[in-house]
């Protein structure tokens, strides 16, 4: 019998429920990577990864893709609810990668209101036409969107609940959980808006 505690065991105790295990995520990534490799076959890909949420997802996904590719990381801050209810999306760097004529795959952890991916893909279209642009997310949260976003690659669909792990955070924490889950109510200090 294996009695060794898994890594992250105490962090996992903060979860109420696990939605997707490490193994389920890995199996899904195999399939997503296969589709991406097939779709861009014969070309070179530029992957734009939105940070920090896409950190683990992009690292694991790209190592399964059998294509020559470059990686650009963009830091994006989105403000939800509270006093910033306009849902502003701010790019945290002045410099955008050169994307004219490139085959681009934009990767984010989760599609929620759609503000982030809408803003980013619009910026890319305006600032020098990419050859092709596709969008992939690990999670598609089934909620009413502020902006519609067409997804080309989706890991899993989830309901309207706040999730953490595998890159997704609550107040900057829990990104390093290998699975994705829902926090216990007593781990959430204030109502999430
Ligand atoms: P959108 O702009 O509303 O589509 O939201 C996208 C961003 O909100 C994501 O990149 C995440 O950083 C964050 N987000 C949305 N839902 C969740 C969640 O359930 N857990 C953690 N972060 C989330
Ligand atoms: Mg994010």
């Amino acid at each position: 019998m294996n009695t060794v505690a898994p890594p992250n065991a105490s962090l996992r105790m903060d979860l109420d429920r696990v939605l997707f295990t490490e193994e389920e995520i890995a199996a899904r990534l195999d399939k997503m990577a296969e589709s991406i490799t097939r779709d861009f076959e014969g070309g070179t890909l530029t992957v734009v990864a939105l940070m920090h949420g896409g950190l683990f997802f992009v690292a694991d996904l790209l190592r399964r893709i059998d294509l020559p590719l470059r990686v650009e990381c963009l830091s994006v801050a989105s403000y939800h609810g509270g006093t910033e209810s306009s849902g502003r999306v701010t790019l945290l760097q002045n410099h955008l990668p050169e994307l004219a004529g490139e085959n681009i795959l934009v990767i984010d952890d989760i599609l929620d209101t759609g503000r982030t991916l809408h803003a980013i893909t619009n910026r890319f279209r305006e600032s020098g036409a990419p050859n092709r642009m596709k969008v992939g997310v690990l999670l598609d949260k089934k909620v009413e969107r502020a902006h519609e976003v067409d997804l080309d690659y989706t890991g899993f669909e989830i309901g309207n609940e706040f999730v953490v792990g595998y890159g997704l955070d609550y107040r900057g924490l829990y990104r390093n959980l290998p699975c994705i889950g829902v926090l216990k109510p007593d781990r959430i200090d204030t109502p999430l808006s």
Side-chain angles (χ1 to χ4, degrees):
M1 201 176 82
N2 184 1
T3 52
V4 179
N8 304 84
S10 61
L11 211 51
R12 276 170 199 258
M13 298 218 308
D14 286 358
L15 291 182
D16 190 39
R17 270 171 310 126
V18 172
L19 294 186
F20 306 107
T21 65
E22 205 174 345
E23 292 75 22
E24 286 167 337
I25 296 169
R28 187 70 196 113
L29 263 50
D30 285 341
K31 300 283 177 212
M32 293 177 83
E34 257 176 51
S35 309
I36 296 166
T37 301
R38 205 172 37 240
D39 290 352
F40 288 95
E41 202 186 338
T44 298
L45 191 57
T46 299
V47 176
V48 179
L50 304 189
M51 293 291 120
H52 304 324
L55 185 61
F56 300 90
F57 174 40
V58 84
D60 287 344
L61 181 69
L62 299 197
R63 282 178 291 174
R64 292 166 158 85
I65 295 178
D66 192 12
L67 292 171
L69 61 78
R70 299 185 186 89
V71 189
E72 300 281 352
C73 296
L74 280 190
S75 293
V76 181
S78 44
Y79 302 86
H80 296 265
T83 53
E84 308 251 22
S85 57
S86 64
R88 220 154 27 92
V89 176
T90 313
L91 264 179
L92 300 179
Q93 58 257 90
N94 303 321
H95 201 70
L96 276 183
E98 194 47 67
L99 300 175
E102 302 282 321
N103 298 317
I104 299 173
L105 174 62
V106 181
I107 294 284
D108 201 4
D109 51 359
I110 184 166
L111 175 65
D112 184 11
T113 67
R115 287 188 179 109
T116 306
L117 280 167
H118 174 81
I120 295 294
T121 52
N122 270 3
R123 276 287 288 275
F124 288 171
R125 284 194 193 94
E126 287 160 7
S127 65
N131 181 28
R132 293 167 78 191
M133 181 158 59
K134 291 188 180 266
V135 178
V137 295
L138 180 61
L139 300 176
D140 175 4
K141 199 185 269 195
K142 288 297 179 193
V143 293
E144 203 176 312
R145 309 268 190 242
H147 295 281
E148 277 311 316
V149 174
D150 289 330
L151 292 175
D152 300 287
Y153 310 102
T154 303
F156 305 99
E157 294 182 353
I158 63 167
N160 190 9
E161 53 191 347
F162 192 82
V163 296
V164 297
Y166 201 70
L168 291 136
D169 72 299
Y170 169 59
R171 299 194 163 175
L173 301 175
Y174 299 107
R175 292 192 200 276
N176 58 323
L177 264 175
C179 59
I180 295 172
V182 179
L183 282 175
K184 286 178 177 157
D186 68 356
R187 293 288 126 192
I188 297 175
D189 302 338
T190 51
L192 296 164
S193 54

